[in-house]
């Protein structure tokens, strides 16, 4: 597949600017989501403004189906599509370190490669550390996992890659914040934005939004997104709790099924099965008019990785007392490692950019509207 | 189902048109148990006529709610209607429309239409008009989905090209699709095919050459074929054929279908000149929403149906953002050249205006004291000298919203024939009969109200008509 040149594509900004100028003279969509009220607070749009608006968009599709100017109309307005392109531009523009920015464009491929290599390394590492037989032996009881990989090594590896991801994302989002307009942040802005993020307020089928395959509104994408998001958080909580138990209480994994670590993990893992699977299916059935084919690879790869993470994790739980444990552990750790490593250069970042955009939206909501609509 | 499968079935009701009025009729009739075929001239992507370009609907209500900011009693609505029409309205039909407009909010919601919570930017109509969440096209999508769920058949790119009517009774229609003509028989017929505003030749009958320079704000599919057919077949006309709702829009707008974004709100903030660089009307007569509609006609009466709104840097941010950027120049002469106006004459006009401006406190939210003295025509409010560069200009053209000529109906939406008798099985709804209520002038949001009320009445009547012995 031919790829776009890996530089800032200003034509996307120009096109988004053209469309927002039409929308700002129209404003029919102002009740649909945050994008349109945010738009009405300005008369002209800088590149940064456009990226801010693009990241406020949840790609719910409502404005596409509501718009009297979509193609074949000569004004050819298609906000969700141009914003999808612009979002990936904004991720690209803000990526840290700069040299890794092009990874966004090949994210699907990179993730696949990273996962394969990481899994291979884990298997190889296990074998190198012990004899190959240990990989296929049955290990049970507390500390079973660490017989394949010492706890310190695991902490160093995962702590390291996690820290890298956090730093890279923080720097990227900060760059985005500054280049797109920035400003000081109040606590109430954080809270309002947090609430909107947590509830996916603007991906809201109740109020007529969230279309998928046609003009019929459904709330499915929001449901699956909630499964994914909260599934992820639960898994994260499970891991954090395990770290605490291990370090403070000296309780070593694997834990009994009734241990909160396992319960949180199972619950989160289930969410991470249902959510990404549902989103993948919705994506497959989505009206191709409202999405950007340029970003599809990145989105599919991220969902697939989440799905693999939870599937391998749950499988590990079920089969941890069998000889398959060694291989499954290597598989699971490899996938998680690759997932963490590629976090800053794929779809994962959208949540942070959106949260940042929502903070700015909360802050700007006190500003006056430009012109008065009729 | 293929097109011919759809056409070959028998239907109780045939509805011409695919806008709000047609869909209100189709849903009501289908709920009453009738089988319904809707033929829409436009392709699916462009379905819904002018209703697609609408934003709100004027409805009476006794108390404010989360959509409407305050009460709007029927009496006040009635006063508003009398004022804009100057009494040119059928009182019975108008009263019926206003009384029953109270039902619309609930009714449309039951059909899946959603309304927008009142927002700050839309204050001036926030009390009287219910805003569709996402606008008219979102409303239509909801109506089409509901109609489909009720078994209504819709066929696109199909238009009614002939009607077989004898002695006021409808028998069948010819429907043309992709060059093929299909005869459709139905027990009753609902005409909801809009006005003839997109038919420049027809407009020329009243406006002459000038009509060539008109821009049509809405759908190119409202060519008035059904209206013409009916008027040719013993149906009584209503409404002044010369009347149409015309506003001054950006002269760079597309010929058809530009919709709402081509509006320009800058007129009260500067001066408007014709191609001879002369002013011709009081730009500050009243607030823009009130005066908006007269400017289409004013521009239509100027040579070559063109005008130019000129403002300066102080005013450029005071009105709704425009879809096309204004022309910009550092001197009045330079701006004149961009519009091929005579630079010297424009300068003279601007200077005469500037000299006539009386000092005062400018406030565009009230009828302020800034007016001219000694200028012809005067400018009553918001008159400030045009002196701060850069100067900006927008070209203006008449933008036609809809026409007033229609078919006469009774309170049951039955079409009235030349012998003053209502047809037993022909009904009309929407723009095609709006002239019964709106003899003249316009009240923002009443077009959708009329279409919805008479659409529902027509649907009900048409469903009953099939059971009536002829
Ligand atoms: C830019 C704009 C903004 C407006 N805003 C508002 C507003 O906010 N509120 C309001 O109340 N009013 C508004 N109006 C007026 C409003 O659009 C009309 O009053 C209303 O849409 C009339 O509805 P209708 O169903 O009768 O006609 P339409 O919605 O125009 O539907 C007529 C249909 O008939 C079809 N048709 C035409 N000829 C044939 C044929 N021969 N065979 C089959 N089908 C045919 C057309 O394709 C079309 O779908 C606006 C108009 C415009 C142009
Ligand atoms: S998407 Fe279309 S209908 Fe919505 S505000 Fe923009 S131009 Fe208007
Ligand atoms: S797609 Fe949805 S979230 Fe995005 S701008 Fe349109 S309405 Fe808003």
């Amino acid at each position: 597949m031919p790829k776009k040149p890996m530089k800032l594509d200003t034509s996307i900004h120009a096109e988004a600017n053209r469309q927002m100028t039409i929308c700002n003279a129209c404003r029919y969509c102002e009740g649909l989501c945050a994008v349109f009220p945010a738009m009405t607070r300005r008369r002209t749009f800088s590149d940064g403004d456009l990226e801010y608006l693009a990241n406020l968009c949840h790609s719910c599709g409502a404005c596409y189906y509501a718009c009297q100017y979509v193609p074949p109309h000569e004004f050819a307005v298609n906000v969700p599509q141009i914003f999808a392109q612009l979002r990936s531009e904004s991720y690209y523009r803000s990526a840290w370190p700069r040299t890794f920015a092009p990874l966004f464009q090949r994210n699907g491929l990179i993730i696949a490669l990273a996962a394969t290599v990481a899994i291979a390394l884990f298997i190889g590492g296990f074998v190198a550390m012990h004899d190959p037989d240990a990989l296929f032996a049955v290990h049970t009881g507390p500390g079973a996992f660490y017989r394949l990989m010492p706890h310190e090594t695991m902490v160093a590896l995962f702590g390291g890659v996690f820290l890298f991801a956090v730093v890279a994302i923080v720097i990227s989002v900060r760059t985005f914040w500054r280049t797109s307009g920035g400003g000081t942040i109040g606590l109430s802005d954080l809270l309002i934005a947090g609430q909107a993020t947590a509830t996916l307020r603007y991906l809201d089928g109740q109020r007529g939004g969230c279309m998928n395959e046609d003009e019929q509104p459904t709330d499915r994408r929001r449901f699956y997104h909630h499964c994914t998001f909260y599934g992820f958080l639960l898994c994260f909580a499970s891991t954090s709790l395990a770290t605490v138990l291990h370090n403070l209480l000296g309780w070593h994994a694997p834990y009994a099924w009734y241990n909160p670590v396992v319960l949180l993990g199972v619950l989160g893992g289930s969410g991470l099965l249902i959510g990404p699977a549902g989103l993948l299916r919705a994506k497959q059935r989505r009206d191709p008019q409202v999405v950007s084919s340029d970003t599809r690879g990145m989105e599919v790869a991220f969902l697939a990785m989440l799905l693999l993470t939870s599937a391998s994790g749950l499988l590990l739980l079920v089969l941890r007392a069998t000889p398959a444990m060694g291989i499954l552990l290597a598989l699971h750790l490899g996938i998680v490692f690759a997932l963490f490593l590629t976090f800053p250069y794929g779809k994962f970042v959208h949540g942070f950019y959106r949260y940042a955009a929502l903070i700015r939206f909360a802050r700007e909501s006190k500003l006056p509207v430009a012109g008065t609509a009729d | 189902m293929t097109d011919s499968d759809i056409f070959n079935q028998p239907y109780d009701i045939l509805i011409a048109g695919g806008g709000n009025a047609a869909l209100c009729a189709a849903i009501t009739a289908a709920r009453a148990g009738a089988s319904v075929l809707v033929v829409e001239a436009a392709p699916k992507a462009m379905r819904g006529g002018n209703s697609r370009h609408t934003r709100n609907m004027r409805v009476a209500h006794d108390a404010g709610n989360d959509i409407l900011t305050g009460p709007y009693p029927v009496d006040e609505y009635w006063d508003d209607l009398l004022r804009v029409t100057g009494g040119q309205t059928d009182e019975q039909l108008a009263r019926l429309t206003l009384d029953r407009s109270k039902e619309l909010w609930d009714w449309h919601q039951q059909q899946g239409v959603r309304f927008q919570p009142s927002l700050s930017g839309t204050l001036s109509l926030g009390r009287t008009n219910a805003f569709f969440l996402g606008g008219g096209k979102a409303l239509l999508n909801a109506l089409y989905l509901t109609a489909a769920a009720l078994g209504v058949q819709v066929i696109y790119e199909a238009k009614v090209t002939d009607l077989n009517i004898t002695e006021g009774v409808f028998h069948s229609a010819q429907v043309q699709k992709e060059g093929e003509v299909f005869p459709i028989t139905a027990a009753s017929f609902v005409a909801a095919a809009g006005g003839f505003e997109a038919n420049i030749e027809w407009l020329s009958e009243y406006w002459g050459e000038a009509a060539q320079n008109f821009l049509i704000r809405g759908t190119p599919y409202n060519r008035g074929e059904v209206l013409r057919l009916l008027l040719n077949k013993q149906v009584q006309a209503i409404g002044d054929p010369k009347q149409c709702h015309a506003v001054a829009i950006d002269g760079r707008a597309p010929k058809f279908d530009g919709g709402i974004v081509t509006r320009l709100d800058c007129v009260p903030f500067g001066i408007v000149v014709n191609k001879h660089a002369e002013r011709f009307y009081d730009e500050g007569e009243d607030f823009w929403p009130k005066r908006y509609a007269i400017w289409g006609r004013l521009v239509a009466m100027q040579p070559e149906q063109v005008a130019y709104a000129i403002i300066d840097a102080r005013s450029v941010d005071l009105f709704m953002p425009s879809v096309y950027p204004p022309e910009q120049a550092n001197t009045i002469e330079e701006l004149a050249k961009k519009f091929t106006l005579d630079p010297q004459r424009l300068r003279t006009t601007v200077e005469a205006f500037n000299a006539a401006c009386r000092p005062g406190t400018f406030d565009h939210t009230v009828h302020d004291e800034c007016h001219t003295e000694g200028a012809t025509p005067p400018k009553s409010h918001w008159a400030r000298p045009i002196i701060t560069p850069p100067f900006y200009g927008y070209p203006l053209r008449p933008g036609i919203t809809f026409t007033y000529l229609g078919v006469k109906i009774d309170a049951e939406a039955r079409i009235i024939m030349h012998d003053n008798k209502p047809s037993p099985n022909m009904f009309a709804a929407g723009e095609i009969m709006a002239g019964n209520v709106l003899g003249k002038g316009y009240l923002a949001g009443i077009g959708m109200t009329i279409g919805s009320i008479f659409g529902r009445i027509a649907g009900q009547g048409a469903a009953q008509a099939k059971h009536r012995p002829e």
Side-chain angles (χ1 to χ4, degrees):
Chain A
M1 205 170 58
K3 282 280 170 188
K4 290 224 165 116
M6 295 192 187
K7 60 175 177 56
L8 178 66
D9 190 345
T10 48
S11 68
I12 294 180
H13 289 81
E15 174 58 14
N17 196 351
R18 183 189 74 83
Q19 294 196 23
M20 274 299 109
T21 304
I22 296 174
C23 288
N24 209 14
C26 168
R27 300 187 176 179
Y28 278 16
C29 290
E30 68 184 333
L32 291 179
C33 73
V35 167
F36 297 94
M39 166 195 82
T40 61
R41 306 230 139 75
R42 38 190 58 77
R43 290 183 161 265
T44 53
F45 305 94
S46 67
D47 283 0
D49 288 336
L50 292 166
E51 288 180 17
Y52 153 59
L53 294 174
N55 278 290
L56 269 183
C57 168
H58 283 62
S59 196
C60 78
C63 64
Y64 173 80
Y65 296 105
C67 182
Q68 65 271 42
Y69 299 122
V70 292
H73 193 285
E74 64 188 270
F75 286 166
V77 173
N78 185 340
V79 174
Q81 191 171 59
I82 192 68
F83 275 1
Q85 291 171 6
L86 200 53
R87 274 195 299 279
S88 66
E89 273 293 321
S90 70
Y91 306 157
Y92 173 83
R93 281 229 285 187
S94 312
W96 182 89
R98 293 295 312 142
T99 28
F100 286 0
L103 295 185
F104 275 108
Q105 259 119 354
R106 299 189 195 284
N107 174 276
L109 181 70
I110 297 296
I111 283 194
L113 285 178
T116 318
V117 171
I119 294 164
L121 283 180
F122 274 98
I123 298 176
F126 287 178
V127 174
M129 246 179 288
H130 315 275
D131 59 299
D133 292 344
L135 191 59
F136 298 104
V138 176
H139 307 273
T140 52
F145 294 156
Y146 311 124
R147 261 165 253 147
L148 284 163
M149 183 180 230
H151 183 251
E152 299 71 44
T153 317
M154 248 194 236
V155 169
L157 270 180
F158 285 89
V161 73
F162 182 71
L163 211 65
F164 164 74
V166 169
V167 170
I169 291 173
V170 166
I171 296 178
S172 307
V173 175
R174 206 181 55 159
T175 307
F176 165 71
W177 180 259
R178 290 193 173 155
T179 56
S180 75
T184 47
I185 302 169
L187 181 63
S188 68
D189 302 335
L190 288 176
L191 292 177
I192 294 169
Q195 200 204 15
T197 309
T199 56
L200 291 179
R201 187 167 158 206
Y202 300 107
L203 187 72
D204 187 351
Q206 292 309 305
R207 293 171 65 228
C210 198
M211 275 71 162
N212 199 49
E213 45 266 43
D214 54 28
E215 65 270 22
Q216 171 94 59
T218 71
D219 216 7
R220 281 196 297 263
R221 275 179 73 230
R222 192 156 77 128
F223 172 74
Y224 291 131
H225 192 287
H226 278 334
C227 289
T228 309
F229 180 66
Y230 290 103
F232 183 85
L233 287 186
L234 288 173
C235 288
F236 192 73
S238 161
T239 311
S240 309
L241 185 63
T243 311
V244 171
L245 294 185
H246 184 100
N247 291 319
L248 293 185
L249 302 178
W251 295 2
H252 293 183
Y255 300 104
W257 66 266
Y258 48 81
N259 186 294
V261 171
V262 178
L263 292 179
L264 287 172
V266 170
L267 206 61
S270 314
L272 271 187
L273 274 186
I274 301 166
L279 288 174
L280 275 171
R281 189 175 140 79
K283 192 170 289 304
Q284 201 189 8
R285 298 175 36 170
R286 199 134 207 242
D287 181 345
Q289 289 305 316
V290 298
V291 289
S292 153
S293 53
D294 298 356
T295 58
R296 199 178 154 88
M298 164 162 86
E299 289 160 7
V300 171
F302 177 53
L303 290 172
M305 282 301 278
L306 289 178
L307 202 58
L308 285 175
T309 305
S310 55
S312 59
L314 290 171
L315 217 56
L316 182 61
L317 178 70
V318 176
L319 300 178
R320 65 189 180 181
T322 72
M325 188 272 264
I327 281 289
L328 279 175
L329 184 65
L331 200 66
H332 183 62
L333 295 181
I335 292 167
V336 173
F337 190 85
L339 182 70
F340 279 17
L341 190 66
T342 51
F343 264 164
Y345 312 106
K347 188 66 190 176
F348 181 72
V349 296
H350 82 280
F352 300 94
Y353 283 75
R354 190 149 291 152
Y355 181 53
L358 282 162
I359 294 170
R360 183 157 160 202
F361 179 66
R363 202 191 57 187
E364 282 190 356
S365 57
K366 298 133 208 160
L367 295 178
V369 168
T372 42
D374 244 349
Chain B
M1 261 199 283
T2 68
D3 295 346
S4 35
D5 289 343
I6 293 179
F7 281 135
N8 286 332
Q9 282 178 49
Y11 293 94
D12 295 328
I13 302 169
L14 171 67
I15 300 180
N20 171 60
L23 271 288
C24 288
I27 289 170
T28 308
R31 287 203 192 283
S35 64
V36 183
L37 174 65
V38 169
V39 292
E40 157 65 303
K44 185 177 177 205
M46 295 287 166
R47 71 182 180 189
N50 286 349
S51 303
R52 193 172 121 252
H53 284 298
T54 65
R55 184 175 207 193
N56 56 48
M57 179 159 72
R58 189 175 285 251
V59 289
H61 48 280
D62 296 323
N65 51 39
D66 50 340
I67 309 297
L68 295 149
T69 52
Y72 187 47
V74 173
D75 288 342
E76 186 184 346
Y77 199 161
W78 174 244
D79 291 343
D80 287 342
L81 182 67
L82 275 187
R83 197 162 25 77
V84 298
T85 58
Q88 284 189 39
T89 179
D90 178 321
E91 178 156 0
Q92 189 202 5
L93 298 184
R95 290 255 180 212
L96 172 85
T97 309
L98 308 194
D99 284 341
R100 292 197 57 185
S101 72
K102 284 186 178 176
E103 300 163 15
L104 289 181
W105 188 47
D106 282 337
W107 188 82
H108 273 93
Q109 291 206 99
Q110 279 154 19
Q111 317 316 319
V113 173
R114 291 161 208 264
F115 292 92
Q116 177 177 303
S118 42
L119 290 172
S120 55
T122 54
L123 273 181
S124 65
L125 291 172
R127 181 173 66 90
T128 53
N129 290 33
F131 283 63
F132 314 131
L133 184 63
K137 192 169 170 202
L139 164 132
L140 284 161
N141 288 340
L143 295 183
Y144 271 100
L145 285 169
T146 302
L150 292 168
V152 171
Q153 289 289 353
V154 180
I155 192 137
Y156 298 104
E157 294 175 71
K159 57 181 183 178
V160 171
T161 50
D162 204 1
L163 296 170
N164 177 5
I165 299 168
T166 46
E167 284 164 24
V169 178
F170 167 83
H171 302 287
S172 65
Q174 305 243 299
V175 174
Q176 190 181 318
K177 162 124 189 157
E178 282 156 15
E180 252 189 284
V181 176
F182 300 87
I184 312 273
T185 33
S188 43
F189 175 70
V190 177
F196 63 95
E197 58 277 349
N199 191 332
I200 305 282
E201 306 83 72
W202 196 345
L203 289 175
S204 307
E205 288 179 26
Y206 314 115
W207 287 89
E209 277 295 292
Q212 300 298 329
N213 287 325
F214 291 177
L215 301 176
I216 312 307
R217 300 174 72 209
T219 182
Y221 294 93
N222 281 3
R223 298 186 41 82
E225 287 117 340
V226 175
L227 176 61
R228 183 77 101 187
L229 287 170
L230 289 170
L231 295 182
N232 285 347
K233 304 215 170 173
Q234 259 56 65
V235 165
Q236 267 192 47
I238 193 146
D240 181 350
K242 293 190 175 56
Q243 282 278 352
C244 61
H245 182 258
V247 300
I249 59 169
D250 195 306
R252 296 161 291 183
K255 185 78 182 165
F256 293 102
D257 235 3
I260 197 68
V261 300
T262 62
R263 109 184 109 199
L264 271 180
D265 289 359
C266 60
V267 167
F269 299 109
I271 58 168
V272 177
V273 298
N274 61 16
K275 65 170 287 218
H276 303 308
E278 280 157 4
R279 291 178 59 237
F280 53 89
Y281 197 81
D282 181 354
E283 301 90 348
E285 188 177 48
D286 206 339
F287 290 113
W288 189 231
K290 282 199 189 151
R291 285 289 133 214
Y292 182 55
I294 68 162
W295 279 83
R297 186 164 285 271
L298 290 171
V299 175
M301 280 165 348
Q302 294 306 309
E304 288 173 34
Q305 295 69 52
V306 67
Y308 303 92
I310 314 280
I311 56 172
D312 71 1
R314 285 188 294 177
S315 302
V316 73
D317 283 345
L318 293 181
F319 48 92
M320 270 285 285
S322 58
V323 70
Y324 300 107
E327 290 290 350
Q328 182 180 337
N330 283 322
T331 64
I332 292 291
E333 285 83 353
E334 211 186 305
L335 190 64
K337 281 187 204 135
K338 298 204 165 174
F339 293 130
T340 60
L341 295 171
D342 182 331
Q344 220 28 64
R345 280 164 88 173
L346 185 62
R347 149 113 357 240
T348 312
T349 301
V350 170
E351 274 173 2
F353 169 77
N354 288 351
C357 289
R358 290 290 141 258
T361 315
F362 176 84
D363 184 349
H364 67 286
T365 61
V366 294
H367 285 138
D368 72 359
E369 54 192 345
C370 297
H371 65 283
T372 59
E373 269 166 29
T376 348
K379 187 174 176 188
S380 310
H381 304 285
W382 313 297
R384 284 193 300 189
I386 300 172
I387 43 177
T388 314
F391 302 102
Y392 299 92
Y394 294 90
L396 302 174
R397 288 267 183 209
I400 312 300
T401 318
F402 55 78
T403 45
Y404 284 63
L405 176 68
V407 298
K408 192 171 160 69
I409 59 159
D410 68 7
E412 290 179 56
R414 292 180 298 182
I415 292 177
I416 309 287
M417 309 306 293
H418 276 174
D419 59 7
N420 279 330
K421 290 208 186 95
S423 162
N425 69 346
M426 288 198 296
F427 302 81
E431 214 175 280
I432 202 169
M433 50 60 60
N436 288 271
V437 178
L438 212 53
K440 171 180 132 190
Y442 185 65
L443 201 52
I446 201 172
M448 291 297 275
T449 310
I450 296 172
S452 304
I453 296 296
F454 285 98
R456 290 175 59 207
I457 296 175
Q460 195 67 45
Q464 278 161 7
K466 70 174 175 118
H467 303 302
R468 278 186 207 163
E470 274 176 17

